[in-house]
Amino acid sequence: MTALQPLRIAIGCVLAVAACSALGDAGQLFRQHCAECHGADRFGGIGPALLPSNLERLRKPTAEQVVAKGRLATQMPAFGDKLSADDIRAIVGYIYTEPAEPPVWGLEQIRGSRVVHADAAALPAKPAFAADPLNLFVVVEAGDHHVTVLDGDRFEPLARFPSRFALHGGPKFSPDGRFVYFASRDGWISKYDLWNLRMLAEVRAGLNTRNAAVSGDGRYVLVGNYLPNTLVVLDARDLAPVKVIDVSDERGRRSRVSAVYTAAPRNSFVVALKDVPEIWELRYDENAPPVFAGLVHDYRLGEAIGEKGQFTPRRSPLENVLDDFFFDQSYAYVIGASRGAGGQGGHGQVVNLDVRRKIKDVPLPGLPHLGSGISWEWNGHRVMATPNLQEGIVSVIDTRTWQILKQIPTNGPGFFMRSHENTPYAWVDAMMSKDRKDTLQIIDKRTLEIVGSVTPEPGKTAAHVEFSRDGRYALVSVWEMDGALVVYDAATFKEVKRLPMKRPVGKYNVYNKITRSEGTSH
Ligand code: DHE
C-alpha cells in the first residue's frame, strides 16, 4: 500500500456516505410525493414504473420538466409549486438510480397482478353491432393513452376506452378476430373483446416489456421482457400465467428479449434476444418433440433429456445479435439486423430456422426496419421491402437469392411501410426526415418507382399506414397530440375522411392481421 492509499480510501468512504445520504434524502422525497402513484418500489401503480430501464426513452431534463409541470392528458400533477428545483433534481436522480435490490417479478407477482373484469364465455358470442367485425380497425392513441375501435366501412368510432400507460407494438388478435391483446411498455397485457366492446382481463407480465404474440391456435400469449430477463407464457383465455422462462444462453449469460413473434405455420413462437447471439424457437403445441438441451443440435427424435418440447427453447446460434426481423412467407427464413448500440449496421443476415444457422449476409445499409417489412410478387417471384430508420431509402430484396434488387431513395429515414394484396402501391413514411416528415411517399410495386405522395397536414409528422380489409382505403396518422386519422382512397390518393385523434401511433385492421396479409406486419 502506498502512503496515499489510506487517504484515498477515506475520501472515497466520505463521498460514498455523502452520495448515500443524498440518495436517502431523495428517497424520502420520492416516498413522500411520488410513491402513492408510482409505488414505493418504483414498479408503478396508477402511474408508470420509474426504474432506469423504463426511463431509457426519457431524458433527465425532460423528466425534471414533467415533475415540475405535470404531464398533459395524464393524471401526473405539477410539483413545481411544492418542490424546489433542487428537490426535483434529487428525485429525478433517484429514479434514474438502480434500486439496491434487483427487482423481482416472477410467477407469484404476475399471478397477484391479474385482474379479471369479465368472463368471455358468459358474454354473447356475436358482435353487438352491425359493422363488419373483420373490417374493424383498432387505433392506439398514445397522446392520451386510449384505444379507439373504428368501423372500417363507415370510418365511425364504435368505442373508445382508456389503455394502460404507453402501449407499444402492434396489438395482437385471436384467430377469429374477436379478441385483441395489447402490451404496454410497463408490462401490462390487456385482453379486450371486440364483439362486446369490453375489457376482459389484465395482467402484469413484466416490469419492462417489449411486446407480445398470440399463438396461431389462439391458446397462448407469449410476452417478451427486458426486465426481468424473462419470457412469460399466458393462457389466452383469462391471461393466467402458465410458465415463466428465464432467458440466458447455455453458459448462464442472461439476456433481454428484443421481441417475440408467432410463426403460425410452424406452430411456434420465434424470439429475438438482445444480449446473446441466438434466435429461439418455442413450439406451443403439446405434440412438440422434445428439444435437445445442447447448443447446436436438432430436435431429439428418441430419448428426451427431461424437457418436454412444448415451450422449450430451441436455439439457433448466430454470429451477431439480431433484434429486428422479417419472416418470409414460408416462415422457414428470417432476415434480420441488429439495431441497438454495438449493432452491426449495414449487415443483414438470413437465418434458416430449420437448419438453424445463418445462410447468407445481405449488405443492407443504415438501420433497416425489417419488422416493418412487406412482400409481394414481382416478375414471377417474391420480393420484400424494408424502410430504414437511419437512411432515406427503401431496400427491395429478392427472397429467392436474398440479393438487393433496388434501393429506392425516399424523403428521409422512416419507420413504417404498408401495402395490401389489392393495391399496386406501397406507402412509406419518412417520420425521421429533417424537413419532409409530414409526407408519405407511394411506391409502385411493379416499377419500383415513387409515383405519388400525400401530405396530410403540412409541418406535422405523418406516419404509419394500414389498409382497409379490401385494400380500397389507406389510413394514415397525423402523429401529433391534436392529430388525426386521415383516410385516403388508395387508388387516387385523395383524402376521403379525417377523424381527430390524440397522437394515433398505430392502427390495425382485424382482417389483414388475422389473414397475415403480405402488406402488413404480423
Ligand atoms: Fe417500436 C412495433 C421495437 C421505438 C412505435 N417496435 C415494434 C416492434 C418492435 C419494436 C420489436 C414489433 C412488436 C410487435 O408489433 O409486436 N420500437 C422498437 C425499438 O427497439 C425502438 C426503436 C426503441 C424502443 O424504445 O423500444 C422502438 N416504436 C418506437 C417508437 O419510438 C415508436 C415510433 C413510438 C412508440 O410508441 O414508442 C414506436 N413500434 C411502434 C409501433 C409498432 C412498433 C406503432 C407497431 C407497428 C406495426 O404496425 O405493427
Side-chain angles (χ1 to χ4, degrees), residues 442-466:
I442 299 164
I443 296 168
D444 189 319
K445 293 190 288 186
R446 298 159 296 192
T447 59
L448 311 184
E449 300 288 342
I450 292 185
V451 291
S453 67
V454 296
T455 305
E457 203 169 330
K460 302 282 166 71
T461 303
H464 199 276
V465 189
E466 177 88 323

Side-chain angles (χ1 to χ4, degrees), residues 375-386:
S375 77
W376 67 92
E377 286 294 315
W378 185 78
N379 290 351
H381 60 273
R382 190 152 285 271
V383 297
M384 67 149 301
T386 169

Side-chain angles (χ1 to χ4, degrees), residues 5 42 54-55 106 153 193 204 253 269 329 335 342 348 360 386:
Q5 264 168 332
R42 293 192 269 149
N54 298 66
L55 295 166
D153 290 315
D193 183 345
R204 191 168 190 192
R253 196 155 43 116
F269 291 115
Q329 291 291 94
I335 174 167
K360 185 109 184 165
T386 169

Side-chain angles (χ1 to χ4, degrees), residues 182-461:
F182 302 93
S184 83
R185 287 194 184 259
D186 273 0
W188 282 97
I189 305 299
S190 313
K191 175 177 180 176
Y192 184 84
D193 183 345
L194 284 171
W195 291 359
N196 291 289
L197 304 173
R198 279 188 74 164
M199 187 62 80
L200 297 177
E202 295 176 284
V203 68
R204 191 168 190 192
L207 294 175
N208 184 355
T209 288
R210 293 301 290 169
N211 76 327
V214 175
S215 58
D217 59 12
R219 294 193 305 149
Y220 299 104
V221 179
L222 184 72
V223 185
N225 292 322
Y226 264 10
L227 185 70
N229 299 154
T230 52
L231 288 165
V232 177
V233 182
L234 304 172
D235 186 324
R237 285 172 300 187
D238 56 3
L239 302 185
V242 173
K243 188 170 181 181
V244 176
I245 301 163
D246 284 322
V247 179
S248 61
D249 68 10
E250 290 192 315
R251 282 168 297 172
R253 196 155 43 116
R254 302 187 63 83
S255 177
R256 294 168 292 170
V257 175
S258 292
V260 296
Y261 302 93
T262 301
R266 303 173 69 85
N267 279 336
S268 66
F269 291 115
V270 175
V271 179
L273 303 187
K274 184 90 181 158
D275 305 308
V276 304
E278 294 179 6
I279 285 187
W280 286 11
E281 185 171 11
L282 282 75
R283 289 271 296 259
Y284 47 71
D285 54 319
E286 280 87 354
N287 303 328
V291 174
F292 187 28
L295 188 63
V296 198
H297 317 279
D298 223 318
Y299 282 136
R300 253 201 170 184
L301 298 174
E303 169 204 7
I305 33 178
E307 293 260 46
K308 277 184 18 179
Q310 194 192 26
F311 300 128
T312 303
R314 182 186 193 233
R315 302 156 188 266
S316 296
L318 303 171
E319 288 160 22
N320 299 309
V321 166
L322 289 189
D323 57 357
D324 179 26
F325 52 69
F326 174 86
F327 290 96
D328 78 329
Q329 291 291 94
S330 76
Y331 281 77
Y333 296 92
V334 298
I335 174 167
S338 185
R339 76 156 72 116
Q344 298 75 32
H347 183 95
Q349 297 179 59
V350 181
V351 177
N352 181 311
L353 289 172
D354 293 321
V355 300
R356 299 169 61 195
R357 62 180 177 78
K358 180 185 83 177
I359 54 139
K360 185 109 184 165
D361 286 311
V362 186
L364 286 166
L367 264 186
H369 193 204
L370 290 156
S372 193
I374 59 167
S375 77
W376 67 92
E377 286 294 315
W378 185 78
N379 290 351
H381 60 273
R382 190 152 285 271
V383 297
M384 67 149 301
T386 169
N388 202 294
L389 300 169
Q390 213 168 54
E391 296 197 14
I393 49 166
V394 164
S395 306
V396 184
I397 300 161
D398 184 335
T399 63
R400 287 175 316 178
T401 58
W402 300 107
Q403 304 280 356
I404 298 176
L405 276 174
K406 186 163 183 186
Q407 309 276 20
I408 305 170
T410 63
N411 283 336
F415 241 93
F416 304 107
M417 181 162 189
R418 284 287 204 273
S419 186
H420 189 280
E421 286 79 352
N422 296 343
T423 170
Y425 305 116
W427 296 43
V428 63
D429 63 54
M431 66 179 282
M432 275 101 66
S433 156
K434 282 201 179 66
D435 48 2
R436 303 297 306 279
K437 60 182 185 165
D438 57 2
T439 298
L440 278 97
Q441 290 176 293
I442 299 164
I443 296 168
D444 189 319
K445 293 190 288 186
R446 298 159 296 192
T447 59
L448 311 184
E449 300 288 342
I450 292 185
V451 291
S453 67
V454 296
T455 305
E457 203 169 330
K460 302 282 166 71
T461 303

